[in-house]
Amino acid sequence: MPTTIASAPGKVILFGEHAVVYGRPAIAAPLSHLRATAVVQDGPWDGLILRAADLGREAPFEGAAADDPFARAVQVVLAAAGRPAPAGVVISLRSAIPIAGGLGSGAAMAAAVIRALANHLGAARLAADDQVSALTYQVERLLHGTPSGIDNTVVSYERPIYFAHAEPHNRVEPLAAGAPLRLLLADTGVRSLTREVVADVRRGWLAQPERFEALFDACGRIVAAARSALEAGDRPALGQLMNDNQSLLADMGVSSPELARLAEVARSAGAFGAKLSGAGRGGHLIALVGPASEAAVRAALQAAGARALLASDMAPAGERPGFRD
Ligand code: PMV
């Protein structure tokens, strides 16, 4: 039975979330050891079957709800390839990325399905990074409403990027850290929906355009400074910029008591800096640590009730980023 497998990583937004929806730049990095995987297999199935392996659920593609992101990922590939739904095929999807935790699980699942199905259908052109990114963006629009395009880009190219939304083409530049950077990812345990948080920021911007434009501009300046600090491997400067970005995000109304508390705990225990990552209101806090502070920050975050702690490394140019529990 011919089988095709593809996977895509989760991601963290290091700087510039939300403001990136309004044309300001942002910086994101893949989480290469936290992945979504899609397996496409031919066999004696009736029609095309979508299997969400983690949920133990399977259902035919035909008749899937219009807002089902799994079915939408399949649909965008079929439309781009000009092909009908294949019969006698099952697509199984698994993900190790927490859902609604700000780590890009939706984009990674879509990218994995798109790349696996495109390859399975022999549409190699659609399995190239730029096409996977463009098709994943179409699925993200269903989930988010007005996505900037940063999530689909970082999970499809799987490298740290400086990103700015622009027409007709986004600005995407690969970045390399000047020194190894270790992030701790602490789960608040609170799930939030990106779509809702993004819609709340839009309401704020519509009600107080000057105030929000000023906040977005300040985020843009932080991203410019962070890019230089990242490339220079200057961890104290990066940490301070993370703290500054966090306070702007709190002013936008997208932090939460849990995020604010974990950020304070991480800083007091010696982290260079800490901020929310992604949509906010819940999800994960990211803290930049060094070899001298890592153990103390870990212990403090755990004692403060962080649900799960992961560590992610951004490696200097030429090295693959590492990742561990
Ligand atoms: O919550 P996430 O991981 O999907 O990140 C969303 C990032 C935002 O800037 C809030 C939205 C966007 O489309 O860029």
Side-chain angles (χ1 to χ4, degrees):
M1 286 196 295
T3 299
T4 313
I5 301 177
S7 68
K11 67 100 214 343
V12 278
I13 297 187
L14 296 172
F15 295 96
E17 51 274 270
H18 288 292
V20 70
V21 175
Y22 298 81
R24 275 53 164 204
I27 295 174
L31 297 172
S32 286
H33 290 81
L34 199 59
R35 308 187 74 85
T37 304
V39 180
V40 187
Q41 219 174 349
D42 292 338
W45 289 282
D46 206 10
L48 172 59
I49 305 295
L50 307 185
R51 181 184 290 161
D54 301 320
L55 307 174
R57 207 184 284 155
E58 70 176 44
F61 168 68
E62 294 295 337
D67 62 352
D68 174 349
F70 191 170
R72 178 99 178 111
V74 171
Q75 203 179 39
V76 296
V77 174
L78 297 176
R83 304 271 279 271
V89 169
V90 64
I91 307 177
S92 305
L93 180 59
R94 266 187 198 289
S95 176
I97 309 165
I99 292 170
L103 300 183
S105 70
M109 288 194 274
V113 169
I114 288 165
R115 204 186 295 270
L117 181 60
N119 277 326
H120 197 79
L121 295 175
R125 176 182 61 86
L126 298 179
D129 292 345
D130 61 332
Q131 294 299 306
V132 172
S133 178
L135 294 172
T136 301
Y137 182 70
Q138 291 186 30
V139 181
E140 288 277 287
R141 287 179 64 136
L142 179 78
L143 295 175
H144 283 199
T146 54
S148 63
I150 192 168
D151 282 15
N152 52 284
T153 304
V154 69
V155 307
S156 301
Y157 287 87
E158 201 170 342
R159 53 196 305 184
I161 53 166
Y162 173 93
F163 174 96
H165 179 80
E167 299 291 346
H169 298 295
N170 294 327
R171 185 168 165 198
V172 181
E173 295 169 20
L175 288 181
L181 299 175
R182 170 151 300 163
L183 289 173
L184 292 181
L185 280 48
D187 189 355
T188 60
V190 179
R191 295 287 165 260
S192 77
L193 289 177
T194 298
R195 186 187 195 104
E196 287 172 7
V197 188
V198 168
D200 278 352
V201 172
R202 185 159 298 270
R203 272 190 283 276
W205 175 68
L206 288 171
Q208 298 177 291
E210 281 175 19
R211 180 167 166 261
F212 274 75
E213 285 292 323
L215 289 169
F216 299 153
D217 281 339
C219 291
R221 286 192 292 273
I222 285 177
V223 170
R227 180 183 187 160
S228 307
L230 187 77
E231 288 174 338
D234 184 344
R235 293 176 298 179
L238 278 172
Q240 185 56 52
L241 290 163
M242 287 170 77
N243 294 341
D244 295 346
N245 198 163
Q246 169 64 21
S247 77
L248 293 170
L249 289 161
D251 289 349
M252 278 177 218
V254 301
S255 189
S256 70
E258 295 83 3
L259 284 163
R261 201 166 77 85
L262 290 183
E264 199 39 56
V265 161
R267 289 172 197 145
S268 304
F272 291 110
K275 64 183 276 293
L276 65 84
S277 180
R281 293 269 169 83
H284 287 73
L285 178 92
I286 58 175
L288 180 64
V289 295
S293 64
E294 180 176 350
V297 177
R298 254 177 196 278
L301 286 169
Q302 255 149 5
R307 295 297 161 92
L309 267 179
L310 300 165
S312 167
D313 292 325
M314 253 183 96
E319 293 172 29
R320 292 282 298 165
F323 189 89
R324 62 187 175 73
D325 288 329

